[in-house]
C-alpha cells in the first residue's frame, strides 16, 4: 500500500461492496411477489442469485486492478488437510446444533424447492460470500491491522455469523463463527479464495443434501 489515501480508497470500496450487498438483501423485500417467494421456499435461492449477480462482477472489477485477493487454485495436499479439519468441525457440531426453523420449513416445500436451494447454496453462495467476507472484509481489517491477523479473522467471523440472520439458535452462531475462522485461515494460508470457496461449497453440500433426500 503506497499512501494513506490508497488505504482509504480501498476501504471505501470494501465498505461500499457491503452496502450494495445489504441493499440487494433489503430491496428483495419490496418485490410484489415477495410473500409468494417466501411461502414457496424460493426466497433464499432468489436472494443468492441476485447477490451473486452483483458481488461477483465487483470482484472481477477489483481483480482487474489489484492482485491481493486472487482466486488462485487448489493445492491437493493443503486441501486434504483443511477437508480433515472441516470434517472434525462438522462432527463436533452434531453434538450441540439445534434444528433451524427456516431449513425445516424449506424442506417441507418439496424436493424441487430443496433442489433449487441446494444448487444456489452450493454453486453461488460460497463464491459471493467468500468474496465478501474472506475477501473484501478480511482484507479491509488486514489493511489497517496487518500484525493482528487473529483479531482480523475473529472480527470477520463474528460479522459473518451475525449477518446470517436466518439462524436463530446461539449454537448455530457459534458454529458459523468457528466455520468462518477456518475459512479465514484457509484464505491466509493459501493466499487465495479457491480453498475457502471449495471448503464452503463442500460444507453446504454436506449440510443440505440430506435434507433434499428426505424432503
Amino acid at each position: 500500500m503506497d499512501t494513506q489515501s490508497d488505504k482509504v480508497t480501498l476501504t471505501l470500496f470494501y465498505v461500499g461492496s457491503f452496502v450494495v450487498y445489504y441493499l440487494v438483501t433489503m430491496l428483495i423485500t419490496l418485490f410484489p411477489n415477495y410473500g409468494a417467494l417466501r411461502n414457496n421456499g424460493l426466497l433464499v435461492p432468489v436472494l443468492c442469485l441476485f447477490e451473486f449477480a452483483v458481488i461477483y462482477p465487483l470482484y472481477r472489477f477489483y481483480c482487474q486492478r489489484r492482485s491481493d485477493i486472487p482466486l488462485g487454485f487448489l493445492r491437493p495436499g493443503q486441501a486434504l488437510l483443511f477437508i480433515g479439519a472441516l470434517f472434525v468441525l462438522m462432527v463436533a457440531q452434531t453434538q450441540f446444533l439445534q434444528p433451524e426453523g427456516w431449513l425445516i420449513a424449506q424442506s417441507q416445500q418439496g424436493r424441487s424447492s430443496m433442489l433449487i436451494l441446494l444448487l444456489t447454496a452450493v454453486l453461488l453462495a460460497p463464491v459471493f460470500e467468500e468474496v465478501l467476507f474472506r475477501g473484501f472484509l478480511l482484507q479491509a481489517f488486514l489493511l489497517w491491522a496487518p500484525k493482528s491477523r487473529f483479531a482480523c479473522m475473529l472480527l470477520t467471523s463474528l460479522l459473518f455469523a451475525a449477518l446470517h440472520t436466518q439462524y436463530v439458535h446461539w449454537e448455530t452462531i457459534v458454529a458459523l463463527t468457528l466455520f468462518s475462522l477456518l475459512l479465514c485461515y484457509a484464505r491466509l494460508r493459501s493466499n487465495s479464495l479457491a480453498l475457502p470457496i471449495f471448503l464452503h461449497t463442500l460444507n453446504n453440500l454436506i449440510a443440505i443434501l440430506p435434507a433434499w433426500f428426505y424432503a
Side-chain angles (χ1 to χ4, degrees), residues 37-42 45 102-119 208-215:
L37 289 174
R38 183 176 56 190
N39 293 335
N40 293 329
L42 296 176
W102 77 272
L103 189 56
I104 295 174
Q106 186 83 31
S107 65
Q108 293 172 348
Q109 300 297 326
R111 297 192 70 182
S112 59
S113 176
M114 282 300 299
L115 178 61
I116 295 173
L117 175 64
L118 178 65
L119 291 175
I208 298 177
L209 193 59
W212 176 71
F213 276 118
Y214 290 105

Side-chain angles (χ1 to χ4, degrees), residues 4-15:
Q4 191 77 359
S5 176
D6 291 334
K7 291 172 68 172
V8 171
T9 299
L10 277 176
T11 302
L12 289 175
F13 177 84
Y14 299 143
V15 172

Side-chain angles (χ1 to χ4, degrees), residues 31-152:
F31 278 25
N33 57 346
Y34 172 77
L37 289 174
R38 183 176 56 190
N39 293 335
N40 293 329
L42 296 176
L43 180 59
V44 173
V46 169
L47 268 174
C48 286
L49 183 61
F50 275 91
E51 288 163 348
F52 177 87
V54 170
I55 298 304
Y56 188 70
L58 283 175
Y59 175 64
R60 298 307 304 165
F61 171 83
Y62 182 88
C63 288
Q64 290 171 2
R65 288 153 180 80
R66 297 188 60 83
S67 59
D68 51 356
I69 313 179
L71 179 59
F73 56 91
L74 289 175
R75 298 181 179 90
Q78 189 179 61
L80 284 174
L81 287 175
F82 276 93
I83 289 171
L86 176 63
F87 283 165
V88 169
L89 180 60
M90 295 186 77
V91 170
Q93 290 172 6
T94 61
Q95 304 303 311
F96 63 87
L97 284 185
Q98 301 295 320
E100 290 288 346
W102 77 272
L103 189 56
I104 295 174
Q106 186 83 31
S107 65
Q108 293 172 348
Q109 300 297 326
R111 297 192 70 182
S112 59
S113 176
M114 282 300 299
L115 178 61
I116 295 173
L117 175 64
L118 178 65
L119 291 175
T120 53
V122 169
L123 299 179
L124 301 183
V127 177
F128 74 78
E129 288 193 346
E130 292 313 304
V131 168
L132 272 174
F133 292 97
R134 267 60 62 177
F136 294 159
L137 184 60
L138 181 57
Q139 195 71 11
F141 289 137
L142 290 170
L143 193 61
W144 295 97
K147 296 182 179 180
S148 303
R149 301 179 89 184
F150 181 76
C152 294

